Amino acid sequence: MRVPPFKRFRPFSQLASIFVLGMIVGSVMYNGIFHASYNNLWLKYQESRIQIEQYAEDIKTLKKYNKQQTVIKEIRVRAEQQDPPLDSITVKEVLLKLSNDLDVLRGRSVFEIDTDNKITRSLLNGKIYTVRDKEYEVQIKTMLILEGVLQVWVEITVSVRS
């Protein structure tokens, strides 16, 4: 029995290999685009979730203290810009944890904030929060009360433990 020469099948095998290579490259590109869009959607979801939790807490406290004018009704925590910028989701998670720690100040009189301010600074200044298996240190820079809103500016840095 004779075996046919391979020269006949060479153009077909070249076309088939180019077609298979195109399928592989196309699937890699599609997978990359899919994961990039999914990551973007996940980041937006995390930001929205954190924002909704903060709004729900604010609504609850505003309903509770709506008749009193001289108490802390709302707490806003803001992060200052860092030189190597951190991930926005990480910053929001740290700010949410810090806001939960500052919840004890809700409902307190604004005239007694001086003693609370000293206690808060001593307890929370340099506190380390763990987010996504990394540790971040918080330094309180400024605390300001205006119309029942306590605004806190913090600096968040990656913790380096010795």
Side-chain angles (χ1 to χ4, degrees), residues 126-143:
K127 186 167 182 181
I128 296 175
Y129 292 99
T130 303
V131 175
R132 292 192 198 165
D133 298 330
K134 286 189 179 178
E135 294 181 339
Y136 298 95
E137 185 175 351
V138 174
Q139 295 290 327
I140 297 176
K141 294 296 182 184
T142 307
M143 294 178 79

Side-chain angles (χ1 to χ4, degrees), residues 20-134:
V20 169
L21 185 63
M23 285 183 0
I24 292 170
V25 169
S27 66
V28 166
M29 289 178 57
Y30 174 77
N31 196 19
I33 292 170
F34 174 76
H35 282 291
S37 65
Y38 183 78
N39 188 35
N40 190 17
L41 180 67
W42 183 81
L43 289 174
K44 287 181 182 179
Y45 170 75
Q46 291 297 325
E47 288 177 7
S48 299
R49 183 185 58 82
I50 292 169
Q51 198 171 34
I52 286 172
E53 288 176 7
Q54 182 67 36
Y55 287 156
E57 187 68 31
D58 289 344
I59 288 171
K60 186 173 74 173
T61 56
L62 287 173
K63 283 181 182 179
K64 187 175 181 181
Y65 300 112
N66 66 347
K67 302 289 186 209
Q68 299 173 352
Q69 296 297 322
T70 61
V71 297
I72 298 173
K73 298 175 188 174
E74 189 176 339
I75 298 174
R76 291 185 189 156
V77 182
R78 296 192 172 121
E80 293 181 351
Q81 293 292 330
Q82 297 85 318
D83 185 22
L86 297 174
D87 182 24
S88 65
I89 297 298
T90 303
V91 170
K92 290 192 182 219
E93 288 283 337
V94 170
L95 293 180
L96 182 65
K97 288 183 178 188
L98 180 62
S99 179
N100 288 340
D101 287 344
L102 289 172
D103 265 348
V104 296
L105 296 177
R106 288 186 197 257
R108 303 287 295 232
S109 174
V110 294
F111 300 114
E112 298 172 2
I113 193 62
D114 184 36
T115 58
D116 295 338
N117 183 12
K118 290 175 186 174
I119 293 171
T120 303
R121 276 187 186 272
S122 66
L123 289 177
L124 296 179
N125 209 14
K127 186 167 182 181
I128 296 175
Y129 292 99
T130 303
V131 175
R132 292 192 198 165
D133 298 330
K134 286 189 179 178

Side-chain angles (χ1 to χ4, degrees), residues 4-16:
F6 189 67
K7 291 182 181 179
R8 286 189 201 172
F9 301 111
R10 185 173 292 165
F12 174 73
S13 64
Q14 288 175 345
L15 284 175

